[in-house]
Amino acid sequence: NLNLEIHAEVQLKNYGKFLEEYTSQLRRIEDALDDSIGDVWDFNLDPIALKLLPYEQSSLLELIKTENKVLNKVITVYAALCCEIKKLKYEAETKFYNGLLFYGEGATDSSMVEGDCQIQMGRFISFLQELSCFVTRCYEVVMNVVHQLAALYISNK
């Protein structure tokens, strides 16, 4: 019994030493990485960067497979709505944000010749028409989400 306690105490001390050494080794690695991460990419020196994202080859329907057919349908609907919202967000960011943000910038009222404001607004009409269609589509998707959530809530009761 005394021999077992001594053996357990020795193992505990060895484990403690191992943990201390391992912790210090991890800290050295972390410090080395922290120093080098800042050197990898500098926006001022390297204006172009690669954004590498993994590409998933399986479809949404392949990922949603449970034995409950009703649950499959519900999850598929919500997943499709999430994908649609993600696409709409991307479209808004890439197509509409800059146009709305920078419309009318760069020219002051005093530098504009008579009629320039009307020409600029005329060129902006097609953008506004696309934006109107986009807003209508967003409204339809949001209404669909609300209807789906309401249907799920009512069917839960």
Side-chain angles (χ1 to χ4, degrees):
N1 194 11
L2 180 63
N3 199 12
L4 186 63
E5 286 180 18
I6 292 173
H7 185 66
E9 197 172 310
V10 168
Q11 287 299 327
L12 189 61
K13 285 182 182 178
N14 287 340
Y15 185 68
K17 287 179 186 176
F18 167 76
L19 281 179
E20 287 176 12
E21 290 172 9
Y22 189 68
T23 302
S24 65
Q25 184 181 7
L26 285 177
R27 280 199 184 110
R28 286 194 307 271
I29 292 171
E30 188 178 325
D31 291 342
L33 286 176
D34 284 345
D35 292 341
S36 65
I37 284 177
D39 300 336
V40 173
W41 185 73
D42 182 7
F43 181 76
N44 295 320
L45 299 176
D46 306 316
I48 297 174
L50 293 177
K51 188 173 184 180
L52 301 174
L53 297 173
Y55 178 73
E56 185 67 49
Q57 292 188 358
S58 55
S59 73
L60 190 61
L61 295 175
E62 291 173 3
L63 294 174
I64 303 170
K65 284 189 180 176
T66 65
E67 294 182 18
N68 186 340
K69 298 293 182 189
V70 175
L71 181 63
N72 284 352
K73 291 177 183 178
V74 170
I75 292 174
T76 302
V77 167
Y78 285 116
L81 285 171
C82 286
C83 288
E84 181 69 21
I85 290 169
K86 211 175 195 180
K87 289 176 186 174
L88 288 172
K89 178 183 175 275
Y90 177 77
E91 185 178 351
E93 289 171 344
T94 57
K95 199 172 184 181
F96 298 111
Y97 281 9
N98 288 335
L100 291 172
L101 188 63
F102 297 119
Y103 174 73
E105 291 293 319
T108 60
D109 291 339
S110 61
S111 69
M112 298 281 279
V113 180
E114 181 69 31
D116 280 352
C117 290
Q118 291 79 3
I119 292 172
Q120 189 177 18
M121 189 62 199
R123 291 180 182 148
F124 199 59
I125 295 277
S126 65
F127 177 83
L128 291 176
Q129 177 61 41
E130 284 183 51
L131 181 63
S132 174
C133 293
F134 176 77
V135 169
T136 302
R137 177 69 185 138
C138 289
Y139 176 78
E140 290 170 357
V141 170
V142 169
M143 287 301 294
N144 194 349
V145 169
V146 170
H147 286 291
Q148 295 296 333
L149 288 173
L152 183 64
Y153 179 75
I154 290 170
S155 67
N156 259 351
K157 285 191 167 186

